Amino acid sequence: MDSLSSADSSGAIETRGIEPVPDHERHGRVRELFPTWVAANISVLLLTMGAALVVFNSLNFWQVLIVAVCAAVVSFGLVGVLSVSGKWGGAPGATLSRATFGVRGNLFPGAILWIARFGWETINAVTGAYAVLTVLKLLFGIKSNDALIVITLLLFVACTFLVSGMGRKVLNICNKWSTYLFGLFSMLVLAYLVATIHWSDVFAKPAGTTAMMVAGVGTIAAGGISWVPTGPDFARYLPHQASGKRIVGATVSGAGLVMVPMVLMGAVMAVATPGLAKAQDPVSFLGDLLPTWLAVPYLLTAIVGMLLINSLSMYSAGFTAQTMGVKLPRAMAVSINAVISLVAGGLLMLVASSFLGSFITFLILLAVSFSAWIGVYAVDMFRRRSRAVRYDAEALMDTGRTSRYWYVGGFCWQAMTAWGVALLAGLSFTSCDWFSGPLAGTPIGKYGLGWMATIVVSAAIMAVLPTPRENVPTAVAEPAPATAEREKVTA
């Protein structure tokens, strides 16, 4: 059994790992989630994705607006709803997932989520490095070369590792100021576009098909879906009485405040620079489209934003590593992700022929792999709320046969069945550069709804299978008073 740590998180550097946060340390506030999810979306990749909706999906301005709003609400709505479990159990999502899949079963979806996290961090690190290279070219005329690519990537990953290793309080402070700065310069960029873009060309573009709109929602939403399993990580310091509705509201509004205008700006920029969506370097176009006095500060704030996105991702990845059995403190566990993102980022920048192609393919597979987990976990959450069954802090840290979440041989067969079948079903509907599933030609596949089908299949199977029975010793099987229990699981 893993013992519950007495790690104190009150200092500047967070020392607490995956162990649940005790009540006396629950001093977080729901409003802290707003800048967290703003910062999680400060990426110029949203500009590229907005441009792709125009260039590849052939959507017009109003269709892009609808796609961006729907993607923000759907993806970060899921993030917000499942984040509520963080305040119920006070632990990271990867750890709470032990209660859903079993202490051994959790290793399988956990491994896939961890691998997918590597890819997301690599994409962000590469984008951040490209932004640094663009700033060096604009300010000093320094042209990119292989050695400089490696150096900038190394510096970006090192800074990410440093910030993520310091923990929640440092991230909250950075997120707050990054939100202010990026918001200011985004408004300046928006004002410049309003004044210089030929709006007649923007609004003259014909509408695309409904199928391309639906597929576009899935592409844009994939980034938000990747945050769903880590949502509880940022809500675990909230007190039990924190409002679930406010958690969802702060999450969706924080993400939407950035996602919607960024995607729209990318769509508008694509009118002036159609090559934006096809460029190997997803950042340098800003130097061509914007004047230097605006492009440089905007890119600098974007670099900080992308660094924070990766820091938030690595922060959660450290918890996933510990849950997977890595015997290191969280800050050191983060180093595994840092090394992998450095190596993979170098390959993507120096070897890959198409950044956007690799990125879109990754997003498609990312959405499916995370969606199988989402459906199962959501049903388990609903059952806990309806039956007023709280998460057991000691059992979450007990990986032996005595754990409440041992189920059968350490596996919850209902959750594992639902997850495995849904994952295979989602992949069968998926088509990308690397492979095409046998059902990719069906309407679900053509509309890019493999990720949604995955959630529905996993949730449906989990719901119809018998409710898992936790291994509660007879001596302590009596439920706690209803009032206390419902305080624990109130939404």
Side-chain angles (χ1 to χ4, degrees), residues 54 115 246 258 322 326 336 401 449:
V54 172
I115 292 171
R246 290 186 60 201
V258 180
Q322 290 181 315
V326 176
I336 298 175
R401 296 177 181 274
L449 291 174

Side-chain angles (χ1 to χ4, degrees), residues 28 45 80 106 125 207 216 248 278 311-312 326 332 342 366 461 489:
L45 283 175
N106 190 48
V248 176
K278 303 176 182 179
S311 296
L312 290 169
V326 176
M332 291 304 297
L342 179 62
L366 182 78
I461 294 177
V489 299

Side-chain angles (χ1 to χ4, degrees), residues 121-449:
E121 290 159 6
T122 297
I123 293 291
N124 282 322
V126 168
T127 308
Y130 274 131
V132 174
L133 292 170
T134 301
V135 170
L136 291 176
K137 181 179 179 180
L138 290 175
L139 287 180
F140 308 108
I142 300 175
K143 294 184 179 181
S144 175
N145 56 63
D146 290 353
L148 192 57
I149 285 175
V150 173
I151 293 173
T152 53
L153 184 62
L154 177 61
L155 289 175
F156 187 87
V157 172
C159 290
T160 300
F161 172 71
L162 176 64
V163 176
S164 63
M166 298 188 75
R168 184 184 69 95
K169 288 193 173 183
V170 172
L171 283 172
N172 282 343
I173 293 172
C174 293
N175 290 340
K176 177 181 178 181
W177 288 104
S178 177
T179 297
Y180 293 152
L181 289 173
F182 190 77
L184 171 63
F185 286 105
S186 292
M187 292 299 294
L188 291 175
V189 171
L190 183 59
Y192 180 83
L193 291 177
V194 169
T196 60
I197 290 291
H198 296 293
W199 289 97
S200 58
D201 295 338
V202 173
F203 294 115
K205 184 174 177 58
T209 64
T210 301
M212 287 295 96
M213 286 185 65
V214 176
V217 171
T219 301
I220 304 299
I225 290 172
S226 71
W227 287 106
V228 175
T230 59
D233 304 7
F234 305 106
R236 68 185 190 132
Y237 281 93
L238 298 177
H240 295 297
Q241 64 269 23
S243 168
K245 292 181 180 179
R246 290 186 60 201
I247 291 174
V248 176
T251 303
V252 174
S253 59
L257 182 66
V258 180
M259 281 184 68
V260 175
M262 289 281 284
V263 171
L264 279 176
M265 286 166 60
V268 171
M269 288 176 177
V271 176
T273 55
L276 160 59
K278 303 176 182 179
Q280 167 64 21
D281 177 348
V283 179
S284 60
F285 73 92
L286 286 171
D288 300 326
L289 190 62
L290 302 175
T292 302
W293 64 265
L294 182 56
V296 170
Y298 183 66
L299 280 172
L300 289 175
T301 56
I303 290 169
V304 173
M306 287 180 284
L307 189 150
L308 288 175
I309 291 175
N310 249 19
S311 296
L312 290 169
S313 182
M314 284 192 182
Y315 174 79
S316 291
F319 295 136
T320 305
Q322 290 181 315
T323 303
M324 294 293 294
V326 176
K327 302 298 183 181
L328 290 173
R330 181 194 58 78
M332 291 304 297
V334 169
S335 63
I336 298 175
N337 287 59
V339 172
I340 292 176
S341 63
L342 179 62
V343 174
L347 293 175
L348 184 56
M349 295 182 77
L350 298 173
V351 178
S353 59
S354 172
F355 175 86
L356 186 65
S358 301
F359 179 51
I360 296 299
T361 297
F362 168 71
L363 283 180
I364 293 171
L365 297 176
L366 182 78
V368 172
S369 62
F370 279 66
S371 295
W373 182 94
I374 290 170
V376 176
Y377 190 86
V379 171
D380 182 70
M381 270 188 67
F382 175 79
R383 284 174 172 168
R384 291 182 185 280
R385 183 177 186 274
S386 62
R387 295 184 292 119
V389 177
R390 62 185 171 187
Y391 291 100
D392 186 323
E394 291 187 3
L396 287 172
M397 300 301 294
D398 183 357
T399 57
R401 296 177 181 274
T402 58
S403 175
R404 180 172 184 164
Y405 306 123
W406 182 255
Y407 297 110
V408 180
F411 296 84
C412 174
W413 68 266
Q414 296 94 330
M416 295 301 297
T417 300
W419 173 78
V421 172
L423 187 61
L424 291 176
L427 291 175
S428 70
F429 287 113
T430 300
S431 178
C432 62
D433 290 347
W434 299 343
F435 78 99
S436 182
L439 300 177
T442 63
I444 293 177
K446 290 180 179 179
Y447 278 69
L449 291 174

